Amino acid sequence: MTHPVADKLLDYARLMRFHRPVGIYLLLWPTLWALWFAAEGVPPWPVLLVFVLGTALMRGAGCAINDLADRKIDVHVARTRDRPVAAGRVSPREALLVFVIVSLLALALLCALRNPLALLLSVPAALLAACYPFAKRYLSIPQAILGLAFSAGMPMAFAAVRGTVDWPLVTALIVANLCWVIAYDTYYAMADRPEDLKIGVRSSAIFFGRHDRLVTALLQTVSLIILLIVGLETGRGALYVAGVAVAAMLAVYEQWLIRQREPAACFRAFLHSHWIGLAVLIGLVADFAV
């Protein structure tokens, strides 16, 4: 026996992909990089709690607005046609309300820090989250907008910890993350490429074409080199370098996964990608700890 309210709440949770936390990890790890660099160690616990919870909420909000925008596309893709909006279990109006309410909850968390600069920086972050789902209609590499959206928490992290933003350092972290995001979301797009071509959706996998493996490898390499340089310039030591080295080995494994461009393997590479960000984070946390 099912309960209508429980079923609806479950659909909302699925709308926000809480049953697939890999998206939270992909957004959270780079945000935590910035927090640790900003605090030069463990950040204040209230700040850490706000950013962890806020990241989870904003990822959920992003999924809601994405499914609202893609509801007429998702029905044509085997992997997405059972999403709540595409399947008709959640109405477009409900999806919009979920986006607004969850975004306001994240904003309320940020307001609790009473940091005007962090609040100001949350405006472009929210705009990027809302705009990304529509980018695939106009941009050949919409993953670039996703990369910026997934990097928006970095300057906010510095503002929350320091009250100011070290823009040279933050810009380097954003570029590193942007390259990484485009790489792993290209894996995702490679899994959907046959269906995207049929329905006319743009993606980096389509844009890169037969050079997709080479480009993703180059993007990952650039990302890791920037992270290594940032670490050395800020005085990080052997443990941080070891974390980046582990991340490099994980990136090589992902390139092996996509070697045949088989859709299921490309999707596995995407799901695996968050381990790269975690490896860098563990190295960073351990390095500051000692």
Side-chain angles (χ1 to χ4, degrees), residues 182-218:
I182 295 175
Y184 69 64
D185 209 60
T186 296
Y187 298 156
Y188 190 105
M190 288 168 71
D192 288 344
R193 179 161 45 195
E195 289 163 313
D196 286 348
L197 284 167
K198 289 178 183 177
I199 59 181
V201 173
R202 301 181 182 187
S203 76
S204 56
I206 294 171
F207 181 75
F208 296 147
R210 63 188 179 89
H211 303 295
D212 48 7
R213 292 173 55 206
L214 173 63
V215 174
T216 54
L218 289 174

Side-chain angles (χ1 to χ4, degrees), residues 62-150:
C63 289
I65 196 68
N66 182 80
D67 285 10
L68 172 63
D70 284 355
R71 63 191 184 278
K72 295 182 180 179
I73 295 174
D74 286 344
V75 294
H76 299 288
V77 179
R79 192 174 45 76
T80 61
R81 63 171 56 112
D82 193 47
R83 286 177 176 174
V85 179
R89 298 192 305 274
V90 172
S91 71
R93 181 175 178 274
E94 287 176 305
L96 181 59
L97 283 173
V98 168
F99 169 74
V100 172
I101 291 170
V102 174
S103 297
L104 289 175
L105 286 174
L107 179 62
L109 278 174
L110 191 61
C111 287
L113 296 179
R114 299 182 180 180
N115 187 299
L117 181 56
L119 279 173
L120 180 63
L121 290 169
S122 72
V123 175
L127 290 175
L128 284 167
C131 289
Y132 165 68
F134 303 95
K136 67 190 72 175
R137 283 121 170 116
Y138 306 102
L139 300 179
S140 296
I141 309 181
Q143 284 75 13
I145 303 301
L146 180 68
L148 293 175
F150 271 36

Side-chain angles (χ1 to χ4, degrees), residues 7 11-12 34 57 67 69 78 112 120 141 168 192 207 219 231 257 288:
D7 288 346
D11 282 332
Y12 291 158
L57 288 172
D67 285 10
L120 180 63
I141 309 181
D192 288 344
F207 181 75
L219 286 168
L257 279 177
F288 273 117

